[in-house]
Amino acid sequence: MSPTDFAALAAYISPGLIAFLLALSLLVWLYVHSAAQLRNSRQQRLEELQESLRIYGRLAGCLQTATQNGFNTSEKQYQNGLIHALQEAKAAPYLTPHLQEQVQASLRECDTFRRELLLKSLEREMNKLIEERRLVLLESHAPGWGTALWKLLRPAAGPLALAGIVWLVSRLVVELIASNHVDVSLPDTAQSASWLIGCAWMRFVSGLIALLYVYRLMTLRRQNDLDVTASHFPTSLLCMVIAAVALFQWIGPEASPYILAVQLVLFLIGFRLTRGRSRSDRPYVGHPGLIKADASQHQDLHAADKDKTANSSLAEEHIRS
């Protein structure tokens, strides 16, 4: 194309169309970037699960070997391997506080009972991690109909949030310009203009809060028993309620203060509803309830050992007779 053709094309294309194409290109780039970030996050999550399973598997193997051999042969070799596996378990990405306490207790005193208790806890955590890994692989390689649709919509959270912010800012500018055209020579008119400006800002803040929580809802990862800080349902419900309350802004500017106040109250309630179990609520090593459970399990194991010893002695007497 000649320079004349480029000049004619530039004269034909309006500045508004150019701005629209640039904005569309930016939104498409944000969508592709968000999709790549989600894919990398899913891959990193899978690697962390695999790393935790590898560490737990090595520790479970050492505990099972130590339990079966009872440290009767090669005691120092077993002890060194077990201590190394226990120390390595503290670096597992998905290490839970309860399991960490059991590992610390086993490092201080690793008798037969603690080894068996820690082995049961490890098997329980490994089953959770295996199920989590299965879900991640299923989501990545063989997603269902709804999951596949959600994978297409989820990266759009960033572009939609940017478009929403642009719309909120443009609406605020229009309302502020409209309030400046009000005649402020009269006292009542001046108070009305100040009230409109305050309502416009409150509507902007309320809409921004709703937009942020919609983004939070779209990017919220499915949580399960691996998450010990908060549950998925209260967080999702609060995000939906806070975002839905902002829809009442269409009633009129007079409702803006009340809607913003309700959103702030719901935000403060969220600290109460979504916090995890406190440290005093979770059993720890040395907790009275845990000590009773440990003592009962220890008595059961001791009784079983007694039964085995009695049965073996009876069998030996029967053979001698």
Side-chain angles (χ1 to χ4, degrees), residues 52-222:
S52 298
L53 283 172
R54 183 185 62 82
I55 295 174
Y56 289 167
R58 182 181 294 110
L59 177 57
C62 292
L63 289 172
Q64 190 170 2
T65 303
T67 303
Q68 291 175 354
N69 289 273
F71 290 136
N72 292 328
T73 59
S74 303
E75 182 178 354
K76 188 174 182 59
Q77 179 182 359
Y78 282 120
Q79 285 182 347
N80 292 336
L82 181 58
I83 292 175
H84 179 74
L86 287 170
Q87 293 289 355
E88 188 181 12
K90 293 191 296 185
Y94 281 89
L95 181 66
T96 59
H98 179 64
L99 191 59
Q100 182 182 4
E101 291 167 359
Q102 287 189 337
V103 170
Q104 289 292 125
S106 299
L107 284 171
R108 290 192 298 267
E109 182 182 358
C110 191
D111 53 4
T112 303
F113 173 69
R114 289 190 184 277
R115 287 199 303 267
E116 293 180 353
L117 189 63
L118 180 58
L119 183 59
K120 291 180 180 179
S121 299
L122 277 174
E123 290 176 350
R124 184 168 57 251
E125 293 298 324
M126 287 174 66
N127 290 333
K128 292 180 182 179
L129 293 176
I130 290 171
E131 179 64 19
E132 178 77 7
R133 184 182 60 181
R134 185 188 68 84
L135 293 176
V136 174
L137 291 174
L138 185 64
E139 180 183 353
S140 301
H141 301 292
W145 178 260
T147 305
L149 181 61
W150 179 244
K151 286 178 64 176
L152 292 176
L153 295 177
R154 192 178 178 188
L160 290 177
L162 179 61
I165 291 175
V166 171
W167 180 75
L168 288 175
V169 171
S170 62
R171 190 183 68 172
L172 176 64
V173 171
V174 170
E175 290 178 352
L176 292 179
I177 292 175
S179 62
N180 290 332
H181 291 165
V182 177
D183 188 8
V184 295
S185 58
L186 300 176
D188 295 338
T189 307
Q191 293 179 0
S192 178
S194 301
W195 172 253
L196 290 176
I197 293 174
C199 288
W201 278 105
M202 284 185 285
R203 289 180 67 180
F204 173 76
V205 174
S206 177
L208 188 61
I209 292 174
L211 189 63
L212 291 177
Y213 275 100
V214 169
Y215 179 81
R216 165 66 175 163
L217 186 62
M218 293 186 67
T219 57
L220 187 64
R221 184 173 64 85
R222 186 189 62 82

Side-chain angles (χ1 to χ4, degrees), residues 1-13:
M1 296 178 63
S2 62
T4 307
D5 297 333
F6 277 112
L9 183 61
Y12 177 77
I13 298 177

Side-chain angles (χ1 to χ4, degrees), residues 241-252:
V241 172
I242 292 175
V245 167
L247 296 177
F248 291 96
Q249 295 284 359
W250 297 104
I251 296 176

